[in-house]
Amino acid sequence: MRMRRALVGLVVGSALTLGGTAATAQASEPNRSIKASAHETNADPAGWHFYGAYWNKSNCISDGDASGDTYQCGAGPFGQWLLYLWY
């Protein structure tokens, strides 16, 4: 019985020691900056982005006005009007 208690004490003591060491190592890691650089983000750079295709120019202009962004409607293939937004 004494041998069993000694082994359990040794295992528990080792686990506590290793757990405490791991917690200390995690706590001592350097603090990283919260700010993200341009290379760390997935955002597209500002520019013209395709928004949609329309069968008539008035619908293209209407959606462009409703977007609140700078836009342009240009003639596309098959008689369509293509809406591009700047953001």
Side-chain angles (χ1 to χ4, degrees):
M1 187 69 161
R2 288 182 187 171
M3 184 63 135
R4 186 177 291 171
R5 282 187 186 170
L7 286 174
V8 169
L10 181 63
V11 169
V12 171
S14 297
L16 290 175
T17 301
L18 290 175
T21 304
T24 304
Q26 290 175 354
S28 66
E29 288 183 11
N31 194 2
R32 304 235 166 138
S33 174
I34 294 174
K35 296 179 182 178
S37 71
H39 297 290
E40 295 173 340
T41 62
N42 292 331
D44 290 332
W48 292 105
H49 298 271
F50 175 75
Y51 184 78
Y54 301 87
W55 287 112
N56 56 46
K57 188 175 182 178
S58 62
N59 287 349
C60 182
I61 292 172
S62 175
D63 277 3
D65 287 338
S67 73
D69 291 322
T70 302
Y71 71 92
Q72 70 180 32
C73 290
F78 312 111
Q80 294 178 330
W81 290 90
L82 305 179
L83 174 60
Y84 289 90
L85 301 178
W86 179 270
Y87 58 89

